[in-house]
Amino acid sequence: SGSKTIWKSTLSGSFLGGDENYHKHVLDFNWFIPIIKNMTISQKFKVGVLNQLPSKNKYSIRTPNENFIIGGVLPYSEMLRGYPNPDRYEYNVIGDFLMKYSMELRFSLSDNPTLYLLSFFEMGNAWENSGVLDPFNLKRSAGIGVRIFMPMLGKLGYDIGYGFDGWGTNEPYGWAHHFIFGMPF
């Protein structure tokens, strides 16, 4: 049981100098609610904003890895299980705005080593700019998974999720399998 709140702000460039020139803010709420002895609900809500700052330097840049990327389970993206990893450009969503909600029902099988089964429901999206930002247009997914914590390797896991919405199509994405190796969640 418990909760964790993280506010992270980044200022790059502006009066600090350099070639990059932006500010980025991410707010992350995560809370755990015990139900019965071995069962817990985990909920996570994350929002983010990235904005280019005005600059006198006409060569001011913002590196692509500062953008919000959502989909799959890769470390440089915001995890949205049930959708492909962001290595296939036609499916991933990249933007300056991010919104994501995740809920997991976790059932502990063992405390040492930590081993649990989970079912999840997630929804999220990223938008290029405020003109297309629509908090009611979230990509939804649901599925099941398993996690084990190995001290030298971190968390290991497997998830299978169903993407209810398509990116660029009206058809659901369908089933996606994800292996998780050492990523915190």
Side-chain angles (χ1 to χ4, degrees):
S1 70
S3 64
K4 176 172 68 169
T5 303
I6 299 172
W7 174 274
K8 182 179 176 185
S9 290
T10 305
L11 174 63
S12 182
S14 184
F15 65 89
L16 300 171
D19 293 331
E20 294 182 344
N21 205 28
Y22 65 89
H23 62 100
K24 182 177 183 178
H25 310 279
V26 179
L27 181 59
D28 193 349
F29 293 113
N30 195 358
W31 59 98
F32 300 89
I33 304 165
I35 298 175
I36 57 174
K37 182 180 177 189
N38 292 338
M39 194 174 292
T40 303
I41 290 181
S42 165
Q43 297 181 78
K44 185 175 187 177
F45 180 70
K46 188 171 192 176
V47 292
V49 176
L50 173 66
N51 197 1
Q52 189 79 19
L53 290 168
S55 173
K56 295 178 183 176
N57 179 358
K58 65 180 180 179
Y59 300 108
S60 178
I61 62 168
R62 184 179 74 209
T63 57
N65 61 344
E66 290 301 327
N67 291 327
F68 295 108
I69 302 171
I70 192 165
V73 294
L74 293 178
Y76 57 84
S77 69
E78 182 62 35
M79 185 162 54
L80 188 62
R81 297 166 287 186
Y83 291 96
N85 286 331
D87 59 349
R88 296 189 352 205
Y89 186 77
E90 68 271 15
Y91 291 114
N92 64 332
V93 176
I94 300 172
D96 293 346
F97 297 89
L98 171 79
M99 182 182 292
K100 181 186 169 205
Y101 173 77
S102 178
M103 183 171 66
E104 286 186 359
L105 179 63
R106 297 178 177 185
F107 182 75
S108 176
L109 297 174
S110 170
D111 289 336
N112 193 11
T114 303
L115 173 66
Y116 60 91
L117 300 173
L118 60 93
S119 63
F120 65 87
F121 171 75
E122 294 182 326
M123 56 186 173
N125 208 342
W127 298 273
E128 283 185 64
N129 57 54
S130 60
V132 295
L133 186 133
D134 182 4
F136 300 106
N137 179 17
L138 301 174
K139 308 304 180 193
R140 301 161 297 149
S141 66
I144 58 173
V146 64
R147 296 286 186 281
I148 185 168
F149 179 77
M150 303 294 286
M152 297 300 284
L153 298 173
K155 256 183 207 176
L156 303 175
Y158 171 75
D159 292 328
I160 181 170
Y162 186 82
F164 294 103
D165 305 294
W167 270 310
T169 69
N170 290 333
E171 298 294 319
Y173 180 77
W175 293 101
H177 303 268
H178 302 288
F179 291 98
I180 295 162
F181 182 76
M183 274 180 45
F185 179 65

